[in-house]
Amino acid sequence: MLDTLDAPAVRTWCRLSLAALGEAREEIDALNVYPVPDGDTGTNLYLTVESAAEEVDGLFGADRAAPSLPQALRAMAHGALLGARGNSGVILAQLLRGVAAALSVGPADGPALGRALRRAADAGYEAVAKPVEGTVLTVAAAAAEAAEAVTRLDPGVALSAVAETAYEAARVALARTPLLLEVLGRAGVVDAGGRGLVTVLGALADAVSGHTPMGPLARAGKDPLPAWAAEPAVSHTSHASHADAHLAEAGGPGYEVIYLLDAADDALPALRAALAALGDSLVVVGGEGLWNVHVHVDDPGAAVEAGIEAGRPHRIRITHFASAAASAAVNPDADAAPGSRGVVSVVHGEGLAGLCAAAGATVLHADPDHPPSSTELASAIRRSHASEVVLLLNDAELRAAAGAAAEQLRKEGVRVAVIPTRSPVQGLAALAVHEPARRFDEDVVAMTSAAGATRYAELAVAEGESWTMAGVCQAGDVLGLIDGDVAVIGSGTGETAAVVLDRMLAAGGEMVTLILGEGVPDEVAEQLTAHVRRAHPVVDTVVYRGGQPLLPLLIGVE
């Protein structure tokens, strides 16, 4: 439990937020009915936080001095600003910027967090041209009010107590959003952006306390209200407009325009006025010469021209709400032939890359220390130049990023199916049955079935003493993991792998695939091939040199 926030805790906060949003992404997308029911709020929030997390991660490294808290907070806010997507993502970026600005000065203790959440909520309202209650802004205001209230009651309150109080207040406020915004009440859902903010605040409480406060989604009337919630939070209704609810109905502006803008502060009033005259859902966030501009309009060209008059717009994204086909016309993939089929495979190691490329896949080389982001996955899908793409992850940790990438490409008219292969051996099994001449759905089913029928194992070297399902390991021990769990602890690669193979083949199997890692001698493969031939004579063995840097051996059993 932390007394004050520090740079590692900011990093943990970003990582926990990203993981939690990855798990909740589809749920939040399904809640998305306001301001436009386009089902992408969860994806947009994930992409926003992913950018923040990457920026913070970049400060840490063996060859770099440990960053200070202000540096980590600035990186978080800057990354969120650069990567902000959609209305809720842009607002979240502003909220994080408010927190960062307040906590960068003085000790980041409990009372400071209360002040930071207030500054964040105020900044969020200021950034939105026509704030609406029952949205993420309401949730932010409730969290801030509760945090301030607990610090007034106890000026020495712990950082973790303030974070958990803010989280609980946000959950209660989220449950009330259908009562404040008619379109939510009619749909029977809470606000999607508010749900995302609850997730981020839960991750903050977890990062500073070590607890796990994130619970089930708050439902109106189901959660008991704490004492501090008996009175309504400080309301911004006096400068909010409920008239914007029409945006969720048919007939609202047809396009979302979002761009980064290099511009002086004094250029912003005229820009806001010009964009407000063009459309709705106007949000402008940022500062110090860099801004993220978001607006819904019927004339996207005019919205971009307004940015040109104010400064230099870049990273311009224009989305048509009506259909994926219309969106593809805005962001066409000129090289994708209609009906063309592609496979993208994420790999570690030149040998594996060669195997996948030889099977016709577009390869994304992944750094084992820095898993590919959703943006990198989306770029690899585009490089396949296909209108139908099967994505083979070969890593269980990439599912959230892959889901966000697939959502991006679907809006560009590309049909994406994610097969969540957990190991390269499953990816190779899927590639082996890939048949572009089949219907897309049939091909995906066949590839998924082949991957699912392949049990996988891997050998790794323990970095230090640790408890595992197979007992206590020491630094330098060879660990045999079967289907992701440590099953064998040994001292040598060949000996440990032989035990792993025997355990896997005890349940049956027809073929063993061995993929040698970087620097592993051929003798290991020869030893294991001989062992399989001797102990399991009806089983065939194939060997590849994968060149993966961290895992000495990958094993597949089909």
Side-chain angles (χ1 to χ4, degrees):
M1 187 177 298
L2 298 175
D3 294 326
T4 60
L5 196 69
D6 57 18
V10 172
R11 188 188 197 191
T12 300
W13 178 21
C14 290
R15 289 182 167 183
L16 292 176
S17 295
L18 187 62
L21 286 170
E23 292 180 4
R25 183 184 63 81
E26 292 183 357
E27 173 198 341
I28 297 173
D29 281 345
L31 294 172
N32 180 199
V33 299
Y34 180 85
V36 174
D38 49 356
D40 63 357
T41 293
T43 300
N44 288 336
L45 290 170
Y46 179 90
L47 293 171
T48 301
V49 174
E50 181 182 53
S51 181
E54 288 177 349
E55 193 93 358
V56 174
D57 277 342
L59 298 177
F60 292 81
D63 57 343
R64 304 190 62 169
S68 65
L69 174 62
Q71 288 173 324
L73 290 168
R74 283 196 298 270
M76 176 186 69
H78 186 256
L81 179 66
L82 293 179
R85 302 292 185 94
N87 190 70
S88 294
V90 173
I91 293 174
L92 178 61
Q94 184 72 346
L95 297 175
L96 293 178
R97 181 179 176 85
V99 168
L103 292 180
S104 293
V105 180
D109 54 12
L113 179 58
R115 293 190 295 272
L117 291 173
R118 167 54 60 201
R119 181 164 178 175
D122 290 344
Y125 276 93
E126 291 166 3
V128 178
K130 296 180 180 179
V132 176
E133 295 303 327
T135 65
V136 61
L137 297 176
T138 304
V139 175
E145 174 64 15
E148 286 186 320
V150 75
T151 60
R152 285 194 297 268
L153 290 173
D154 179 8
V157 64
L159 177 67
S160 60
V162 176
E164 292 188 15
T165 296
Y167 163 72
E168 291 296 341
R171 291 184 71 236
V172 172
L174 176 67
R176 289 173 170 163
T177 55
L179 306 177
L180 299 176
L181 191 55
E182 182 182 358
V183 66
L184 300 179
R186 288 202 307 270
V189 298
V190 295
D191 180 65
R195 172 67 172 106
L197 180 58
V198 168
T199 303
V200 172
L201 290 173
L204 172 61
D206 196 15
V208 300
S209 71
H211 301 158
T212 307
M214 276 295 294
L217 176 61
R219 303 288 184 185
K222 296 290 183 66
D223 289 326
L225 302 185
W228 46 257
E231 296 297 326
V234 173
S235 175
H236 290 75
T237 306
S238 59
H239 55 230
S241 167
H242 290 259
D244 278 357
H246 74 278
L247 287 176
E249 308 294 342
Y255 294 87
E256 176 187 63
V257 179
I258 185 169
Y259 51 79
L260 294 178
L261 178 69
D262 296 329
D265 292 7
D266 57 12
L268 268 294
L271 173 66
R272 286 193 173 98
L275 293 176
L278 291 173
D280 300 284
S281 286
L282 173 60
V283 186
V284 181
V285 305
E288 300 176 356
L290 178 63
W291 309 86
N292 194 311
V293 179
H294 171 280
V295 68
H296 294 173
V297 295
D298 283 320
D299 186 349
V304 175
E305 288 175 4
I308 294 174
E309 293 181 4
R312 185 181 74 88
H314 51 105
R315 294 196 191 181
I316 300 168
R317 293 189 296 273
I318 301 174
T319 302
H320 188 242
F321 294 127
S323 66
S327 180
V330 176
N331 293 299
D333 182 354
D335 296 324
S340 57
R341 181 81 49 79
V343 177
V344 172
S345 184
V346 182
V347 301
H348 302 279
E350 292 298 329
L352 279 169
L355 288 172
C356 294
T362 298
V363 172
L364 173 57
H365 292 268
D367 182 340
D369 293 326
H370 299 285
S373 66
S374 61
T375 301
E376 292 170 312
L377 290 169
S379 177
I381 294 171
R382 293 187 186 98
R383 282 195 290 110
S384 70
H385 305 304
S387 61
E388 298 175 339
V389 177
V390 178
L391 177 57
L392 301 174
L393 302 181
N394 305 326
D395 185 342
E397 299 300 320
L398 297 181
R399 294 186 66 171
E407 192 67 28
Q408 292 181 66
L409 269 296
R410 287 171 188 142
K411 291 183 178 180
E412 297 176 16
V414 180
R415 193 177 181 190
V416 181
V418 179
I419 300 181
T421 47
R422 301 170 67 89
S423 168
V425 294
Q426 291 185 322
L428 291 175
L431 270 173
V433 301
H434 168 54
E435 179 51 67
R438 277 194 295 244
R439 291 177 59 248
F440 183 63
D441 291 340
E442 294 175 353
D443 199 27
V444 171
V445 169
M447 295 175 73
T448 302
S449 178
T454 303
R455 296 188 67 200
Y456 70 95
E458 58 192 33
L459 264 60
V461 179
E463 296 182 353
E465 182 178 356
S466 178
W467 288 90
T468 75
M469 294 185 66
V472 180
C473 69
Q474 304 295 329
D477 283 347
V478 179
L479 307 179
L481 292 85
I482 299 177
D483 294 335
D485 295 322
V486 176
V488 180
I489 300 175
S491 57
T493 301
E495 296 82 355
T496 306
V499 176
V500 169
L501 281 167
D502 288 341
R503 293 196 182 184
M504 296 179 75
L505 290 170
E510 298 177 356
M511 178 165 38
V512 167
T513 301
L514 303 175
I515 301 178
L516 302 182
E518 187 177 54
V520 176
D522 292 336
E523 287 77 9
V524 171
E526 295 170 0
Q527 173 188 345
L528 294 174
T529 300
H531 174 80
V532 172
R533 188 182 304 117
R534 181 173 60 254
H536 311 276
V538 298
V539 178
D540 294 326
T541 304
V542 293
V543 179
Y544 301 111
R545 183 161 287 284
Q548 63 273 10
L550 297 183
L551 302 176
L553 184 67
L554 301 173
I555 301 172
V557 173
E558 301 176 54

